[in-house]
Amino acid sequence: MSQEIAVVGSPDFTTGFRLAGVREFADVPDDEKDEQLDDAVREMLEDDNVGILVMHDEDLDHLSRGVRSDVETSVEPVLVTLGGDAGSSGLREQIKRAIGIDLMEED
């Protein structure tokens, strides 16, 4: 069974992914993130069809402590954040957590 990529965030953030063919998404307007983001993320975490959850890095600040902990430690689906200051080192850690090996490790 193949799994889907899901995107959670503002409509501006999710639009590009939807145009690229991502079918699982939750639009949460910026002014409603504090009220709705936890529920949207929790729904994606519980969906067995979702293998990768994509969010904007800054949206993590709007999650409650419990949901943020759940999403950051989740192996399936794995969280991939975009934007922010993490840069390539943050992406490296996300890939390592997702597949269990460091692809960028130098011999």
Side-chain angles (χ1 to χ4, degrees):
M1 176 174 101
S2 66
Q3 292 184 308
E4 299 285 329
I5 296 173
V7 182
V8 176
S10 67
D12 290 340
F13 182 74
T14 63
T15 297
F17 291 96
R18 293 187 348 239
L19 291 172
V22 172
R23 295 176 289 194
E24 299 286 334
F25 63 91
D27 287 334
V28 181
D30 288 331
D31 59 343
E32 298 177 14
K33 284 186 179 175
D34 291 332
E35 297 85 24
Q36 296 182 10
L37 196 59
D38 274 0
D39 291 336
V41 169
R42 198 175 287 120
E43 184 178 319
M44 293 299 177
L45 287 175
E46 294 171 358
D47 188 339
D48 291 336
N49 293 323
V50 175
I52 298 172
L53 176 60
V54 180
M55 293 179 64
H56 194 279
D57 186 62
E58 294 175 0
D59 287 347
L60 293 177
D61 295 336
H62 295 276
L63 295 174
S64 67
R65 182 179 296 154
V67 173
R68 183 174 177 153
S69 175
D70 290 346
V71 78
E72 287 178 337
T73 58
S74 176
V75 174
E76 193 174 293
V78 65
L79 172 68
V80 175
T81 58
L82 301 176
D85 298 334
S88 63
S89 65
L91 180 58
R92 178 180 182 172
E93 288 303 315
Q94 292 171 9
I95 293 170
K96 184 177 172 184
R97 186 178 64 190
I99 64 173
I101 59 172
D102 187 353
L103 293 177
M104 299 176 195
E105 184 177 55
E106 296 179 21
D107 293 331

